[in-house]
Amino acid sequence: MYERILIPTDGSTLAAKGVREGVRLARLLRARVTGAYVAPPFVPGLYTEGAIYNASAFARAEYRRLTEKVAHKALRAIEHAARDAGVPCRTRIVYNAQPWRGILKAARSARCDAIVMASHGRGAVGGLLIGSETSRVLAHSRLPVLVVR
């Protein structure tokens, strides 16, 4: 049925629910898992006449190092859950200003055929006002998406 399942995470407690269910589904289907962490791209400091804002607070290399540290910590949860379940797992970090686009990019590049992710379950009005990454993935994905609440 499904051979490659993408499980995006931001390292939160909520995302952990998606990780558990995604790995569980992969084990049942004998599928492989790809864990994905979407990070915002580096934005250099803003320079204006008479002032420098955020002047090299983080150099590009330092930003990348810190981002990868956070990402690897979040992705470790997927790696451990997959290892414990006997499920093959790979991870990747994707840089994109819009997390939902990064999730879909990761799914395409890993040639996944399904996505499993958690959602807050805020309801129709909350989703409209707040704007959920999960609802954006649902709206734009050509792959099946399993939403875990």
Side-chain angles (χ1 to χ4, degrees):
M1 182 175 210
Y2 301 116
E3 296 177 7
R4 296 182 193 104
I5 298 173
L6 181 81
I7 305 173
T9 187
D10 59 4
S12 68
T13 304
L14 176 66
K17 291 171 71 175
V19 169
R20 281 191 303 272
E21 291 302 315
V23 169
R24 186 170 157 236
L25 179 64
R27 183 174 45 83
L28 291 171
L29 298 174
R30 294 188 175 112
R32 289 181 275 169
V33 162
T34 298
Y37 181 92
V38 181
F42 175 77
V43 178
L46 175 66
Y47 300 90
T48 63
E49 189 175 321
I52 300 174
Y53 299 100
N54 194 20
S56 298
F58 292 102
R60 186 178 304 268
E62 182 69 4
Y63 174 81
R64 190 171 190 93
R65 186 186 69 77
L66 292 172
T67 300
E68 288 179 1
K69 182 178 179 181
V70 171
H72 288 300
K73 181 179 179 184
L75 292 169
R76 251 180 266 137
I78 296 173
E79 292 170 332
H80 290 192
R83 186 186 62 234
D84 292 347
V87 172
C89 176
R90 290 184 175 174
T91 59
R92 59 185 54 209
I93 302 168
V94 178
Y95 290 88
N96 200 299
Q98 298 173 314
W100 67 270
R101 286 188 193 270
I103 291 167
L104 296 179
K105 180 180 175 182
R108 274 191 309 275
S109 65
R111 297 178 46 194
C112 293
D113 42 27
I115 301 171
V116 176
M117 60 190 301
S119 176
H120 287 284
R122 289 188 175 105
V125 175
L128 284 173
L129 295 175
I130 296 169
S132 165
E133 297 304 321
T134 303
S135 65
R136 289 185 179 107
V137 169
L138 283 166
H140 294 92
S141 179
R142 295 184 180 177
L143 301 175
V145 180
L146 174 63
V147 178
V148 178
R149 289 188 178 206

